[in-house]
Amino acid sequence: MHARTDLTTGQLLKESDKESGHHKTISSLSKSSDWSHFITGSLDKSSKLWDTRTLTLIKTYVTERPVNAVDISPTHDTVVLGGGQDAMNVTMTDRRAGKFEAKFYHKILQEEIGGVKGHFGPINALAFNPDGRSFSSGGEDGYVRLHHFDSDYFNIKMLFETQLVQFLGSDVAG
């Protein structure tokens, strides 16, 4: 069990099942623009979406790399995760083996919808622009990169909304 206590009073706020939480260090946390939920990234190679009010686990996104940075799009149902292998091992492996790519997932369907390469070290910071038309990434390689979305990114929203309506329709009918 994981216990959460109020640091000022010491009172137990919430105790959750160990299976729902992360199994290694949480390396990043970001809130949604309406503060209704937040996302955590962990060295256990996963990211989790939580309800802010109840601290209930909503979704889990699993990757093949430690997650150092996360963010939630302010305008789309997408989340972005970044990380990569430990920086001390970077010089011993090929750049492609480190998996230094920002990965995008559909927030509800949990499907990977794309990725952006560019860093040659672990990604340690990610942030969407408040207008949702771009995002920035900062890496162990010392670079901060600003990435602008092309029109295909905005078309993904319509594609997934259609799939979600079909999914929910079949779920209700079944």
Side-chain angles (χ1 to χ4, degrees), residues 19-86:
E19 293 303 311
S20 67
H22 287 288
H23 300 287
K24 289 190 177 179
T25 302
I26 293 174
S27 52
S28 183
L29 183 141
S30 182
K31 63 172 181 54
S32 64
S33 56
D34 67 358
W35 292 58
S36 66
H37 52 285
F38 64 94
I39 190 167
T40 55
S42 171
L43 300 182
D44 67 6
K45 302 179 181 178
S46 74
S47 181
K48 295 178 183 279
L49 192 68
W50 303 88
D51 180 276
T52 301
R53 191 176 50 78
T54 64
L55 300 179
T56 304
L57 177 64
I58 300 171
K59 299 285 181 181
T60 299
Y61 312 93
V62 179
T63 74
E64 66 280 351
R65 66 187 59 98
V67 179
N68 299 341
V70 295
D71 202 13
I72 301 171
S73 171
T75 58
H76 289 71
D77 284 330
T78 55
V79 298
V80 63
L81 317 177
Q85 74 182 54
D86 192 359

